[in-house]
Amino acid sequence: MTTLPHSDEGRIPLPSISESLTLLERLKALHPQSIDLSLGRIERLLAALDHPERKLPPVVHVAGTNGKGSLIAFVRAIAEALGKRVHVYTSPHLVNFHERILLAGSDGGAPITEDRLVDCLARAEAANAGELITLFEITTAAAFLAFADTPADVLLLETGLGGRLDATNVVEKPLATSITPISIDHVSFLGHTLAAIAGEKAGILKPGVPCIVGRQETEAFRVIEARAEEIGAPLHVFGRDFDVFEQHRRLIFQTSSRLIDLPLPRLNGRHQIDNAGAAIATASVTFGDALTIEALERGLTHAEWPARLERLGEGALHQYAGEGTEIWLDGGHNAAGGQAIAHALAEFEERVPRAVHLIWGMMETKDAHAFIAPFKGLVERVYTVPIPEEANAFSADALAEIAASEGFDVTPTSGVAHALMQSRAALGRPGRVLICGSLYLAGHVLKLHGS
């Protein structure tokens, strides 16, 4: 029987992360809940650290439900093509916590080093003095220390959850804000309606600070618009102030005074055209007349954002798939994410028809029925998998029941390798396998694959 190679085989060696992992595990104990939305604790800690949030480079603050990371990836690539030094803060990470904090450098951004991370975490822990604080809050404070200590031209700052009470929402005067498409997600923390969730996301708006608003449902946009009018935040709105579309295999970005013809984005899926358009609008507001067509072209074609409709190159997992079978990976995990991935699969089918199998794992906090439903008629078979080391993940059997109730031919399996072998036996020919449903599953897959 084939055995799975060690997860680090074939990978660039990472620095030892034992010390930072030990620190992170200790910091988890400072609050009994992993999520507790509030600004009081982070504001207290930042004051004890002499307010690093006031010493940051110009900030572009990004909130939304889907597309935040992709927008940031595009803006980062555009900015670096302009020669700008860029810090980036995102969450969650896929493989290594260090991915969350990218520090600007002469050759582009790179994940924070182990020594630097340990130093910033230790400083934050000492300043916190054992007080109640969540892990995300204290690691955000540590990230602010690193960002404040390192010169950069811009910081692309992603919210962790929501916006209004998110730990990142302590920057009083960002250079710009951006709100990507809002959909139903995290209802236990943000509300059960689109309007309630939009109200939380709109909490990042600041008086006088321009906000780029991505494509929105009417209910969500009305909330954003009302908040902007209330506080005096100018809006740049998708479909009103700018538009983007595909034409003749090119991306067209348009405003009332300008039309730009650009290459299609490197990231896969029609939804990435919308994300790229919002990124271009964000870069236009951020960099003004310094923005060039050349930087836009390079940014769109060089942006990197793993596990977002990513086709996996040769690696450990291909030994379990049939020869010639494509393996795709996406971390989408809500209804809107499922719809976007399904639309992309349909486009793949139009260009290069292949039998499609789905390998699916998901967290119990997500609406599994809403995620899987858009794949009806697109996939031949679903294989469900557990997500290792995630206590709140659906079991393979529980997910299989959900898939079956939605009308899919489904088989529960013990893990990704097992699912790929089952898929290979059922396909009997080169096919297309998509692994999806969770960023935590995506991170596990990247470890297994050696990417």
Side-chain angles (χ1 to χ4, degrees):
M1 180 178 178
T2 306
T3 57
L4 190 68
H6 188 274
S7 60
D8 284 336
E9 185 172 318
R11 304 181 68 190
I12 297 172
L14 291 169
S16 168
I17 58 171
S18 59
E19 190 173 355
S20 60
L21 284 177
T22 299
L23 259 172
L24 290 167
E25 286 301 317
R26 188 164 72 231
L27 294 175
K28 284 182 183 178
L30 292 173
H31 199 295
Q33 298 170 256
S34 60
I35 300 174
D36 181 11
L37 299 179
S38 169
L39 292 181
R41 294 180 299 271
I42 184 75
E43 289 172 341
R44 169 189 55 75
L45 175 55
L46 291 172
L49 289 166
D50 193 27
H51 292 291
E53 82 283 7
R54 298 177 184 173
K55 304 166 187 174
L56 301 172
V59 171
V60 176
H61 198 192
V62 182
T65 305
N66 293 296
K68 297 189 297 296
S70 296
L71 180 142
I72 286 174
F74 284 125
V75 176
R76 175 194 171 193
I78 292 167
E80 291 184 342
L82 286 171
K84 303 294 184 182
R85 299 167 299 173
V86 186
H87 292 329
V88 180
Y89 186 59
T90 57
S91 61
H93 60 278
L94 291 172
V95 177
N96 189 315
F97 185 89
H98 303 59
E99 299 165 24
R100 298 182 180 217
I101 305 170
L102 267 63
L103 297 179
S106 57
D107 297 323
I112 190 170
T113 63
E114 170 71 0
D115 289 346
R116 190 78 175 277
L117 178 59
V118 168
D119 174 68
C120 291
L121 289 173
R123 289 162 64 190
E125 181 185 32
N128 188 62
E131 293 290 327
L132 195 71
I133 197 163
T134 68
L135 181 65
F136 183 73
E137 290 164 350
I138 199 166
T139 53
T140 297
F144 284 173
L145 287 172
F147 294 140
D149 290 345
T150 307
D153 298 302
V154 65
L155 163 59
L156 305 178
L157 182 65
E158 180 189 5
T159 57
L161 183 63
R164 182 176 65 92
L165 296 176
D166 187 76
T168 62
N169 200 27
V170 291
V171 178
E172 294 180 358
K173 194 76 172 179
L175 179 63
T177 62
S178 186
I179 301 179
T180 65
I182 295 170
S183 59
I184 300 295
D185 201 3
H186 299 294
V187 294
S188 299
F189 302 100
L190 304 180
H192 289 78
T193 67
L194 207 55
I197 295 170
E200 293 299 317
K201 308 287 186 181
I204 71 166
L205 295 175
K206 300 293 186 298
V209 176
C211 178
I212 297 81
V213 184
R215 189 189 296 274
Q216 303 291 343
E217 298 289 341
T218 301
E219 183 181 359
F221 177 68
R222 284 175 178 164
V223 173
I224 297 169
E225 186 177 42
R227 178 60 179 166
E229 290 178 356
E230 178 185 350
I231 67 171
L235 298 182
H236 299 259
V237 181
F238 194 116
R240 186 188 76 185
D241 303 302
F242 67 92
D243 203 354
V244 65
F245 51 91
E246 179 182 349
Q247 187 175 80
H248 305 307
R249 300 297 296 163
R250 299 281 291 177
L251 182 146
I252 308 299
F253 179 85
Q254 185 174 17
T255 68
S256 60
S257 60
R258 194 176 188 191
L259 185 147
I260 308 175
D261 184 346
L262 297 164
L264 289 176
R266 176 182 184 179
L267 302 183
N268 291 296
R270 187 170 297 276
H271 57 290
Q272 294 295 2
I273 293 175
D274 281 3
N275 290 335
I280 294 168
T282 301
S284 299
V285 169
T286 302
F287 303 115
D289 292 341
L291 187 62
T292 65
I293 299 297
E294 292 76 18
L296 291 175
E297 291 175 339
R298 182 167 179 82
L300 294 186
T301 56
H302 286 74
E304 296 182 0
W305 196 230
R308 275 71 175 184
L309 274 177
E310 175 186 6
R311 183 173 176 180
L312 297 183
E314 281 301 315
L317 289 179
H318 278 94
Q319 66 182 296
Y320 302 104
E323 185 175 352
T325 289
E326 303 169 3
I327 304 178
W328 293 79
L329 179 65
D330 195 281
H333 49 261
N334 53 37
Q339 291 166 5
I341 302 166
H343 288 160
L345 280 183
E347 290 176 351
F348 293 168
E349 178 65 17
E350 287 180 7
R351 294 200 295 266
V352 183
R354 287 194 171 199
V356 180
H357 286 184
L358 215 63
I359 297 177
W360 183 34
M362 204 160 195
M363 302 298 288
E364 291 180 327
T365 53
K366 305 300 179 180
D367 187 342
H369 287 275
F371 178 84
I372 197 70
F375 295 96
K376 290 176 184 175
L378 292 172
V379 301
E380 284 189 358
R381 191 166 299 187
V382 175
Y383 299 90
T384 57
V385 295
I387 304 177
E389 300 178 10
E390 294 296 336
N392 293 325
F394 279 107
S395 69
D397 288 336
L399 267 188
E401 289 183 11
I402 292 170
S405 74
E406 294 288 342
F408 291 92
D409 183 354
V410 58
T411 302
T413 68
S414 60
V416 172
H418 183 208
L420 285 169
M421 289 188 287
Q422 293 274 356
S423 171
R424 179 178 64 190
L427 280 168
R429 62 197 188 281
R432 181 173 291 130
V433 176
L434 172 66
I435 307 172
C436 63
S438 169
L439 285 170
Y440 299 104
L441 175 62
H444 171 67
V445 168
L446 291 175
K447 290 178 184 177
L448 292 178
H449 193 58
S451 300

